[in-house]
Amino acid sequence: MKLAHAGMIATGAVIVIGVAMIVPAFTQHQGIDNRGMVMLSFDISHAGDKAASWCKDLASTLAAHKVVKATVFVTGEIAEKSPECVTSFSSNTGFDVGSQAYSYVDLVSLNNNYTRTLEEVQKGKESVDNAGNLNSRLFKAPYGKTDENIYSLLTQAGIVADFSYVNHYNKYEGGQFIKYDLKVLPGTEDGFELFTIVSNDANFVPAYPQEPVPLEITFDNSMEIKEIDKFLSELGTSPYNSKIRFVSASDIAGLDLTAERRLQ
């Protein structure tokens, strides 16, 4: 199945990627809060004995900096072996937890093996859900690599928001996936790249009533916690700090993407 653009319908499923000019519904009801939206996202993809402690330390660091909104993406394999990488964040209602397939394999490298790729997506979500008693509907492709089958895979897995890309995210609504603007930057320990964008980019912090384009700052668990701590410290003392507000993926998409699973 091939991904369609701007109103075209994909073969085999109603999957449409619209022109990224539609503002998510939630942004239309936020009054005059004109600060730039920043989503801190953390990819928990490096397996190992230290994964659980890294996640616990990250949760403590975010709490110390009073960061109450962020988004974490966890592979299914790590969720099974180190459930703390889910539970350290799932207990905080301001945090979203999404999946990154099961084994953090390049989905495109599976050579159009649709069954295997679907298994990776479904099993990754199921493992995250089981670790945190969640219904997570949020996804990021390993290495940011996808192909024309991704939206059929996500639809079958019950995923409604895809943050795999560096210049947009896709949200399922009205029976189709719609593309929305998003800027993505890798996290750095000093944060100066972020400060430059916030201070100089008219599209990021625009004049009311235009809505700012969300900015995602990404880290992964190969980065030392002290570097993330330094980044947040730099941001907290920056004069540009007043121009931003931390948001989660749910805030950006205007959907509840990490619902607690109801006990039967």
Side-chain angles (χ1 to χ4, degrees):
M1 186 189 68
K2 292 189 175 181
L3 185 63
H5 293 271
M8 296 179 63
I9 299 178
T11 304
V14 184
I15 305 292
V16 177
I17 299 299
V19 178
M21 297 297 291
I22 306 172
V23 177
F26 96 102
T27 63
Q28 299 173 7
H29 304 286
Q30 298 300 304
I32 59 173
D33 190 342
N34 197 35
R35 292 175 296 167
M37 295 179 285
V38 173
M39 183 179 85
L40 299 178
S41 72
F42 302 91
D43 297 345
I44 318 300
S45 55
H46 296 273
D49 296 337
K50 295 182 178 180
S53 60
W54 191 93
C55 292
K56 291 178 182 178
D57 289 344
L58 174 63
S60 297
T61 298
L62 294 175
H65 286 279
K66 296 181 171 34
V67 175
V68 297
K69 299 216 172 181
T71 302
V72 178
F73 295 94
V74 188
T75 67
E77 188 174 27
I78 291 177
E80 286 182 353
K81 293 180 179 179
S82 303
E84 299 89 344
C85 286
V86 176
T87 58
S88 293
F89 307 100
S90 60
S91 59
N92 187 325
T93 57
F95 284 70
D96 279 315
V97 182
S99 57
Q100 296 187 96
Y102 179 76
S103 57
Y104 206 74
V105 63
D106 176 356
L107 299 178
V108 179
S109 72
L110 298 181
N111 297 320
N112 295 318
N113 185 334
Y114 191 88
T115 300
R116 167 75 194 287
T117 309
L118 178 60
E119 181 183 17
E120 277 285 335
V121 173
Q122 288 180 323
K123 191 175 180 183
K125 170 180 162 51
E126 290 169 0
S127 298
V128 168
D129 286 353
N130 290 336
N133 192 38
L134 301 173
N135 177 23
S136 173
R137 304 189 296 161
L138 174 64
F139 177 79
K140 179 185 282 189
Y143 307 103
K145 294 184 179 180
T146 64
D147 60 20
E148 65 271 17
N149 292 319
I150 189 63
Y151 294 100
S152 176
L153 296 166
L154 299 185
T155 301
Q156 290 194 59
I159 292 168
V160 299
D162 175 22
F163 279 74
S164 299
Y165 310 94
V166 297
N167 58 5
H168 70 274
Y169 70 97
N170 294 307
K171 168 184 161 185
Y172 189 76
E173 56 185 4
Q176 58 195 21
F177 274 93
I178 304 294
K179 183 171 82 171
Y180 293 100
D181 283 338
L182 178 72
K183 292 186 177 183
V184 180
L185 289 176
T188 59
E189 65 271 18
D190 55 29
F192 290 125
E193 187 172 16
L194 169 61
F195 303 156
T196 300
I197 287 176
V198 171
S199 60
N200 297 330
D201 189 340
N203 291 321
F204 179 65
V205 186
Y208 181 80
Q210 182 185 359
E211 289 291 342
V213 173
L215 176 64
E216 179 183 354
I217 308 296
T218 65
F219 304 86
D220 66 37
N221 66 315
S222 68
M223 178 174 278
E224 293 186 19
I225 294 295
K226 66 179 182 181
E227 294 180 339
I228 297 173
D229 179 69
K230 182 179 178 182
F231 173 90
L232 293 173
S233 295
E234 292 278 356
L235 182 60
T237 58
S238 166
Y240 305 123
N241 186 47
S242 62
K243 294 185 179 183
I244 68 171
R245 54 190 163 106
F246 289 126
V247 297
S248 65
S250 288
D251 292 326
I252 291 175
L255 297 171
D256 187 354
L257 299 175
T258 314
E260 184 175 2
R261 201 156 51 191
R262 292 183 181 273
L263 297 177
Q264 302 297 323

